[in-house]
């Protein structure tokens, strides 16, 4: 039974049993404490906690998930994968334990001919929470499961909670017995390799607090509404139904593994370590493809770093299998073909997704090449110093800064006959992980408890009237101060205001929040920010400028009209720039982020190369021609399917419901899904001036532009500068470039002549300085101040020239000078001086200490400086004194 068929049977069964079927949420989680959707229940948390009313009492879905905390186990066990799909059915105050158990059992054990999954009852075991008599009785007395195949386990195994105060409850898990070949008998309590968990039924009934660990917390009461949260692992069911050994050999994953086998020329099943690498490749390629399809792009932080790590582990595994040539064009296409029936977006967006994948592989191949050079130098230095072990810090630097894998460092070092201080490397890695965990915990602690919005959201969604009006009368539904609901807020306080209706736009879709005020009888509130803390609810953060405001007061929202007009211009300009980019660069130049505020727009897009000046100009020209053409801007509320059929662009990072707002500029020329505010005609934008284009990652670029009056003011300022230059250089505007090039050429020629003169003058000082050498202990010493100098390089050049002039006797040269008001000292020693104990690095630190600064270098030449130029002679005397006592 194919994986997609299993998923469809699941959805068909629950749809038949009055469940609303919802699409998978994005792998990019809405929860700011999570990088990804790590479990099937994550998108349902607002419904499970009651913060947001569920759209239906019963829901079923197939949810995409990414989890990388066990990444080192991938390929080594039958069940660890980074990307997986959870089949979930949910009840929000509807059916409870008996209903959940009945549905699960019926679907699992019904015949395939009747639409079920066809598992044999004799192969199934269950566990229940140690005190859950009710669940055990249902399994035993209603389902008819033999008591010896029902096992009770404690909190560590059969109690679910989020790890934070809130809902929790006992669960019941269903296991499949894989047979005696996989372990000993005795049920899941004895062996979880033989007995594989396939379905978890969570009975969410308790409210818990004071969480000290996974098993230590206090159950303080019952939830007002009992919910069902279940999850069945699609990949686990698939490998059982397909009769294969693990998830990597199922129909959605195995094709990638097979292609890796073909490319490597090796055999799957012959060598254990090779098999692990094949499975890692199969898993990571699919995970990377799915992350790319949800808008994630490789980078050095956050989600992008996780994606980059998956992709680079794939390249590394292929290299260890003997494949040095690019492999992503082969592997990713195979994964796309295996997954596209379940996720058609992989086919429709293939050109964009593949371009990002291939660019990352090429980037990492360059990294491997440069990292190899750095590693070779480090190994040479270790050998020259007589060492046999590369330091852990150098290995960590290669890994952390250059992305060079530790196992590759170990391999190359071994080939060079050296060891690597792996314990020291591991300790540095542990420190990095601890810092990352602490940062994550800190971010989690800083999150507001969104349950404070539950009662306000229960009233309904906040009505946004700002598309057509700048003012509206409303009622204050709630006030929040310091995270807690209050009845009033007084002058000087900062509070959150929840209204039934508002014209103030909440930050979303790249557009910043509106500015404005909220006024009513006896109060005026300055709006500081507008956000959507939970879906459907708008919260206004305000400063109470005067008076006192209370719940149930009537209030009027007033939008700052000038700011809104400029913000509309910028947002509509962003759509025009996006269309112009796709006209110029092609359909693969898709948006990956944006920011729009009054007078300014920033647009990030998928592209790996800098734009030429000509391309930038063309994009700007197409955009302003669209402005000049006064294109009509229309908005329509349509179904998501209608919008996709019409070719509307769905943008990175945005979540869409079944009904969406589609914005057209010039008909289909620019057609995007967007909830932002827009002009009614492109002519209202006025002007778009591109002021910057830069890199924001290996495969992403950024365009910045000023819009409307800000664009005009910027161009007017440039015109003033041009006029001033024209007057100063006595050249017409159209000849300015030629005149400046002529001046630059003249300046370079003059600088060259000056440099030649200075070099000659420096060389002329060498004989006199060398003749000034005086004995100091066992050394001939030149110690002199050169006065004002051009740069430290001048002192260094002169110091080395004098040292060469002094011959083979033990000689030390210490010269100082003042550059831009700061003293500089350079000290050089020859071979005989070093043999007699004179070390330039140690001597320069003495001099720099007198100057109030620091310095360092090698034994033969070193440089230092400080802040007290008047102490330069004293610093040089300190060096001579030190040498006399050596």
């Amino acid at each position: 039974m194919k994986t997609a068929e299993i998923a469809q049977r699941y959805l068909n069964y629950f749809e038949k049993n009055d469940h609303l079927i919802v699409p998978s949420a994005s792998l990019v989680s809405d929860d700011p404490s999570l990088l990804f959707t790590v479990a099937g229940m994550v998108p349902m948390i607002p419904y499970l906690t009651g913060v947001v009313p569920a759209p239906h009492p019963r829901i079923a879905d197939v949810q995409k998930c990414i989890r990388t905390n066990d990444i080192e186990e991938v390929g080594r066990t039958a069940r660890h994968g980074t990307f997986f799909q959870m089949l979930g059915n949910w009840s929000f105050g509807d059916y409870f334990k008996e209903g959940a158990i009945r549905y699960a059992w019926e679907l699992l054990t019904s015949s395939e001919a009747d639409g079920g999954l066809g598992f044999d009852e004799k192969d199934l075991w269950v566990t229940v929470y140690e005190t859950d008599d009710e669940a055990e009785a249902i399994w035993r007395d209603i389902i008819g499961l033999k008591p010896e195949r029902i096992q009770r386990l404690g909190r560590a195994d059969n109690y679910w909670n989020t790890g934070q105060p809130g809902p929790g409850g006992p669960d019941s898990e269903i296991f499949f017995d894989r047979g005696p070949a996989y372990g000993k008998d005795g049920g899941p309590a004895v062996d979880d390799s033989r007995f594989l968990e396939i379905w978890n039924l969570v009975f969410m009934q308790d409210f818990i607090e004071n969480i000290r660990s996974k098993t230590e917390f206090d159950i303080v009461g019952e939830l007002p509404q009992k919910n069902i949260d279940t999850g069945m692992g699609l990949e686990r069911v698939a490998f059982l139904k397909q009769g294969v050994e693990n998830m990597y050999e199922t129909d959605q994953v195995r094709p990638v593994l097979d292609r890796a086998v073909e490319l490597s020329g090796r055999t799957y099943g012959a060598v254990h370590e090779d098999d692990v690498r094949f499975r890692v490749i199969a898993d990571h390629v699919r995970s990377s493809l799915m992350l790319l399809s949800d808008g994630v792009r490789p980078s050095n932080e956050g989600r992008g770093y996780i994606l980059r790590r998956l992709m680079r582990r794939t390249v590394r595994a292929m290299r260890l299998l003997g494949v040095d040539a690019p492999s992503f064009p082969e592997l990713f296409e195979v994964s796309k073909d295996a997954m596209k029936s379940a996720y058609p977006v992989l086919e429709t967006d293939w050109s964009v997704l593949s371009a990002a994948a291939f660019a990352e592989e090429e980037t990492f191949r360059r990294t491997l090449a440069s990292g190899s050079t750095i590693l070779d130098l480090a190994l040479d230095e270790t050998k020259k110093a007589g060492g046999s072990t590369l330091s852990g810090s150098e290995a960590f630097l290669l890994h952390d800064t250059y992305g060079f894998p530790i196992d590759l460092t170990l391999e190359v070092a071994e080939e060079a006959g050296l060891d690597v201080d792996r314990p020291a490397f591991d300790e540095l890695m542990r420190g990095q992980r601890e810092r990352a965990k602490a940062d994550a915990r800190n971010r989690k602690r800083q999150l507001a408890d969104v349950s404070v919005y539950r009662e306000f959201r229960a009233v309904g969604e906040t009505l946004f009237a700002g598309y057509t009006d700048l003012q509206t009368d409303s009622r204050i539904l709630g006030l929040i101060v310091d995270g807690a609901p209050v009845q009033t807020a007084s002058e000087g306080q900062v509070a959150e205001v929840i209204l039934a209706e508002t014209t103030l736009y909440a930050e979303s879709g790249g557009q910043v929040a509106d500015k404005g005020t909220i006024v009513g009888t006896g109060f005026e509130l300055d709006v500081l920010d507008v956000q959507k803390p939970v879906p459907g609810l708008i919260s206004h953060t305000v400063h109470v400028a005067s008076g006192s405001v209370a719940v149930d007061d009537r209030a009027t929202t007033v939008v700052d009209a000038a700011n809104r007009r400029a913000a509309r211009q910028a947002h509509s300009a962003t759509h025009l720039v996006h269309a112009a980019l796709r006209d110029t660069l092609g359909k693969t130049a898709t948006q990956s982020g944006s920011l729009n505020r009054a007078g300014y727009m920033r647009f990030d897009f998928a592209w790996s190369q800098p734009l030429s000046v000509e391309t930038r100009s063309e994009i700007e020209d197409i955009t302003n021609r669209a402005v000049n053409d006064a294109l009509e801007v229309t908005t329509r509320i349509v179904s998501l399917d209608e919008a996709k059929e019409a070719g509307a662009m769905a943008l990175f990072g945005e979540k869409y419901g079944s009904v969406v707002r589609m914005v057209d500029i010039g008909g289909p020329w620019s057609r995007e899904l967007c909830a932002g505010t827009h002009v009614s005609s492109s002519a209202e934008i006025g002007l778009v001036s591109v002021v910057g284009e830069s890199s924001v990652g290996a495969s992403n670029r950024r365009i910045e532009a000023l819009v409307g009056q800000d664009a005009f003011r910027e161009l007017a300022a440039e015109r003033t500068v041009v006029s001033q230059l024209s007057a100063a250089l006595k050249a017409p505007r159209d000849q300015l470039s030629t005149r400046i090039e002529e001046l630059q050429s003249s300046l370079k020629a003059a600088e060259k002549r000056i440099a030649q003169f200075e070099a000659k003058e420096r060389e002329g000082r060498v004989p006199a300085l060398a003749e000034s050498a005086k004995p100091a202990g066992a050394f001939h010493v030149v110690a002199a101040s050169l006065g004002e100098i051009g740069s430290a390089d001048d002192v260094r050049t002169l110091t080395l020239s004098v040292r060469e002039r002094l011959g083979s006797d033990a000689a030390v040269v210490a010269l100082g000078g003042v550059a831009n008001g700061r003293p500089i000292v350079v000290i050089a020693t020859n071979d005989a001086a070093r043999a007699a104990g004179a070390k330039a690095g140690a001597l320069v630190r003495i001099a720099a200490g007198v100057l109030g600064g620091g310095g360092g270098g090698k034994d033969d030449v070193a440089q230092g400086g400080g802040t007290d130029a008047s102490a330069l002679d004293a610093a040089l005397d300190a060096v001579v004194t030190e040498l006399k006592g050596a």
Side-chain angles (χ1 to χ4, degrees):
M1 189 181 293
K2 299 291 188 184
T3 304
E5 183 186 347
I6 296 169
Q8 195 56 55
R9 282 173 179 256
Y10 185 91
L11 297 178
N12 290 345
Y13 174 81
F14 282 102
E15 186 173 33
K16 183 177 66 177
N17 285 284
D18 193 30
H19 287 66
L20 173 67
I21 307 302
V22 299
S24 172
S26 172
L27 287 168
V28 177
S29 174
D30 284 330
D31 187 335
S33 68
L34 297 172
L35 288 176
F36 298 117
T37 300
V38 295
M41 52 79 63
V42 169
M44 300 293 169
I45 288 176
Y47 307 145
L48 292 169
T49 58
V51 173
V52 177
H56 193 274
R58 302 179 176 197
I59 286 177
D61 67 346
V62 180
Q63 176 59 48
K64 302 177 291 185
C65 304
I66 284 279
R67 193 180 298 167
T68 58
N69 54 326
D70 292 326
I71 193 170
E72 300 299 335
E73 294 302 313
V74 172
R76 300 187 181 278
T77 71
R79 59 184 183 271
H80 280 99
T82 52
F83 173 82
F84 58 98
Q85 300 159 91
M86 290 301 293
L87 304 166
N89 59 284
W90 318 84
S91 167
F92 308 103
D94 193 43
Y95 62 84
F96 199 48
K97 290 183 182 179
E98 182 178 341
I101 290 171
R102 279 183 181 274
Y103 286 140
W105 192 254
E106 182 178 23
L107 177 58
L108 282 173
T109 60
S110 294
S111 69
E112 292 183 13
D114 292 331
L117 296 177
F119 283 98
D120 194 322
E121 294 183 18
K122 68 177 178 59
D123 294 328
L124 301 178
W125 290 61
V126 301
T127 60
V128 297
Y129 183 52
E130 57 191 357
T131 62
D132 195 348
D133 297 334
E134 181 185 1
E136 183 181 25
I138 294 169
W139 281 115
R140 184 186 63 240
D141 301 334
I142 297 177
I143 300 302
L145 194 63
K146 293 180 180 180
E148 59 267 26
R149 282 196 280 128
I150 307 171
Q151 296 183 323
R152 292 190 182 225
L153 297 175
R155 283 185 174 183
D157 298 291
N158 278 83
Y159 195 97
W160 175 90
N161 67 78
T162 64
Q164 298 186 39
D171 63 43
S172 180
E173 299 177 357
I174 305 173
F175 292 78
F176 177 82
D177 181 2
R178 302 178 72 195
Y182 294 92
K184 54 190 174 184
D185 202 357
V190 174
D191 190 330
D192 66 354
S193 295
R194 170 174 171 171
F195 297 89
L196 187 71
E197 179 201 339
I198 56 175
W199 205 332
N200 187 12
L201 315 174
V202 177
F203 312 128
M204 198 179 294
Q205 62 189 41
D206 302 326
F207 190 87
I208 64 173
E209 287 185 345
N210 193 23
I211 299 173
R212 301 172 294 282
S213 70
K214 182 178 179 180
T215 58
E216 297 181 46
F217 49 83
D218 299 330
I219 300 173
V220 297
E222 290 191 352
L223 294 174
Q225 172 182 288
K226 294 181 179 180
N227 300 320
I228 288 294
D229 158 14
T230 81
M232 180 161 66
L234 179 54
E235 280 75 15
R236 292 191 184 186
V237 176
F239 84 70
L240 293 174
K241 292 301 296 179
Q242 293 172 21
V244 295
E245 288 297 307
N246 50 62
M247 62 170 287
Y248 314 104
E249 298 175 15
T250 60
D251 62 297
Q252 288 187 343
V253 188
R254 181 64 188 248
V256 180
L257 189 154
D258 288 340
R259 184 56 58 88
V261 167
E262 292 174 14
L263 292 173
S264 69
R266 302 194 186 185
T267 303
Y268 182 60
V271 179
H272 173 70
E273 284 305 314
D274 283 354
D275 290 351
V276 171
R277 290 167 187 142
F278 284 129
R279 293 193 285 262
V280 165
I281 291 162
D283 171 85
H284 287 10
V285 165
R286 184 172 74 145
S287 299
S288 299
L289 179 60
M290 298 308 297
L291 285 170
L292 288 166
S293 73
D294 274 345
V296 182
R297 294 294 180 265
S299 70
N300 288 329
E301 58 185 18
R303 299 181 180 94
Y305 175 75
I306 300 297
L307 173 58
R308 172 161 283 170
R309 187 181 181 203
L310 291 170
M311 298 174 86
R312 293 187 169 190
R313 278 172 59 91
T314 302
V315 174
R316 175 63 183 141
M318 289 297 292
R319 181 187 175 102
L320 290 172
L321 289 167
V323 180
D324 289 328
S327 59
F328 280 12
E330 297 274 353
L331 300 175
F332 274 80
E333 183 158 15
V334 170
S335 187
K336 178 258 295 182
D337 291 341
M339 296 294 293
K340 66 184 180 183
S341 63
Y343 302 98
V345 68
L346 300 176
E347 182 79 83
T348 56
D349 290 355
W350 174 241
S351 60
V352 176
L353 306 182
S354 59
F358 303 164
E360 178 60 19
E361 182 179 31
E362 182 56 35
T363 296
F364 187 45
R365 285 169 58 78
R366 289 196 299 268
T367 294
L368 288 175
S370 60
S372 296
T373 301
I374 296 166
L375 176 57
D376 289 342
L377 290 172
L379 293 172
D380 286 344
E381 289 293 328
T382 302
K383 284 183 175 180
K384 286 177 182 176
S388 62
T389 302
L390 183 72
S391 72
S393 60
E394 287 179 296
F396 181 75
L397 176 71
L398 279 162
H399 163 83
D400 193 50
T401 303
Y402 300 100
F404 203 75
I406 180 60
D407 48 357
L408 183 56
T409 298
L410 291 167
E411 177 187 307
V412 176
E414 184 180 3
E415 291 171 356
L418 296 177
D419 294 324
V420 176
D421 188 348
R422 186 62 189 265
F425 172 85
D426 290 339
E427 185 61 34
L428 289 166
M429 285 297 295
R430 273 193 294 274
Q432 185 187 64
R433 282 194 289 268
E434 286 303 315
R435 289 190 296 274
K437 287 178 182 177
D439 181 57
R441 286 194 296 269
N442 187 49
R443 289 199 307 270
K444 203 166 190 177
R445 283 195 296 270
Q446 291 173 349
L447 295 176
D449 180 3
V450 295
S451 63
V452 72
Y453 302 107
R454 182 185 295 119
E455 62 180 278
F456 309 127
R457 182 61 180 81
V459 176
E461 294 193 20
T462 308
L463 176 63
F464 178 65
Y467 291 129
T468 55
D469 300 304
L470 296 179
Q471 288 188 206
T472 190
D473 293 328
S474 188
R475 181 172 69 88
I476 294 180
L477 300 179
L479 295 167
I480 301 170
V481 174
D482 295 330
V486 296
Q487 288 300 304
T488 62
S490 303
E491 185 172 329
Q493 283 190 296
V494 173
E496 287 185 69
V497 177
I498 311 298
L499 298 167
E501 183 176 345
T502 184
T503 52
L504 291 154
Y505 183 79
E507 181 179 359
S508 60
Q511 182 175 333
V512 301
D514 273 334
K515 295 180 179 179
T517 56
I518 301 173
V519 296
T521 303
F523 66 84
E524 182 173 344
L525 316 176
D526 293 331
V527 176
L528 307 177
D529 194 14
V530 191
Q531 295 290 332
K532 295 179 180 177
V534 296
L537 187 77
I538 296 176
S539 171
H540 311 74
T541 300
V542 303
H543 172 258
V544 183
S546 63
S548 178
V549 61
V551 174
D552 283 332
D553 280 355
R554 300 301 301 179
T556 300
T557 62
V558 182
V559 176
D560 181 324
N563 183 77
R564 165 68 77 81
R565 181 169 56 253
R568 286 203 318 259
Q569 290 174 313
H571 201 155
S572 297
T574 303
H575 285 222
L576 296 185
V577 168
H578 191 186
L581 271 166
R582 289 167 66 80
D583 264 8
T584 306
L585 303 179
K587 303 305 180 186
T588 59
T590 54
Q591 180 173 345
S592 56
S594 68
L595 175 67
N596 315 291
R597 63 170 184 260
Y600 171 85
M601 60 145 287
R602 186 182 76 202
F603 186 87
D604 296 346
F605 59 101
W607 200 253
S608 57
Q609 300 294 325
L611 302 185
S612 67
V613 174
E614 292 76 17
T615 301
R616 258 180 62 170
S617 296
E618 184 179 0
I619 291 165
E620 187 178 57
D621 184 56
I622 292 172
T623 301
N624 283 295
R625 274 192 274 125
V627 171
N628 189 61
D629 289 344
L631 302 176
E632 183 182 13
V633 181
T634 61
T635 60
R636 286 180 283 163
I637 304 299
V638 297
S639 72
L640 182 58
D641 289 340
E642 285 181 86
K644 287 181 177 178
E645 283 182 24
M649 292 289 296
L651 303 182
F652 169 79
E654 290 297 299
K655 311 298 186 295
Y656 300 103
S658 57
V659 176
V660 295
R661 183 171 181 259
M662 186 166 71
V663 177
D664 288 358
I665 304 180
W669 184 69
S670 169
R671 177 168 288 164
E672 299 186 13
L673 304 185
C674 182
T677 62
H678 288 276
V679 298
S680 58
S681 166
S682 63
E684 295 176 37
I685 295 171
L687 182 65
V688 180
S689 175
V690 175
V691 294
E693 191 271 335
S694 58
S695 169
V696 285
S699 55
N700 279 285
R701 306 292 298 178
R702 170 173 292 170
I703 278 186
E704 295 177 272
L706 297 177
V707 182
Q709 282 295 311
D710 287 75
F712 174 77
R713 281 190 285 268
E714 187 258 350
L715 292 174
E718 286 190 359
R719 182 181 61 192
T720 300
V721 171
V722 170
S723 296
Q724 291 171 341
L725 284 172
S726 182
L729 300 178
K730 296 181 174 57
R733 292 186 185 186
D734 59 353
Q735 295 178 18
L736 271 179
S737 295
T738 303
R739 179 65 178 137
I740 289 171
E741 287 175 3
E742 290 172 352
L743 288 173
Q744 287 177 323
S745 296
S746 298
L747 181 60
K748 286 179 181 178
E751 288 174 343
K752 184 177 181 180
R753 287 194 297 273
I754 291 170
Q756 290 170 340
F757 174 79
E758 289 177 342
K760 187 175 180 180
E761 191 272 338
R762 280 196 307 271
E763 289 302 314
R765 300 180 69 176
V766 170
L769 286 167
E771 288 174 7
S772 71
K774 296 178 180 178
F779 309 97
H780 292 286
V781 180
V782 174
S785 173
L786 305 173
E788 290 289 335
I789 56 169
S791 69
D793 287 342
D794 294 340
V795 183
R796 190 181 187 90
T797 300
L798 198 53
T799 301
L800 295 176
S801 296
V802 173
R803 182 183 66 178
E804 292 303 314
R805 187 94 173 193
L806 291 176
S808 60
D809 290 340
V812 177
V813 180
L815 300 182
V818 180
N820 300 318
R822 297 183 66 86
I824 295 165
V825 172
V826 177
I827 297 177
T829 61
N830 63 12
D831 291 342
R834 291 193 294 278
K839 310 295 185 185
L843 293 171
V844 90
R845 282 190 286 273
I846 293 171
V850 176
L851 296 172
K858 297 183 179 181
D859 291 345
D860 62 333
V861 63
Q863 178 179 315
T867 56
D868 186 0
S870 66
L872 188 56
D873 288 337
L876 295 170
D877 289 343
V879 172
V880 174
T881 301
E882 176 68 17
L883 290 170
K884 285 179 179 178

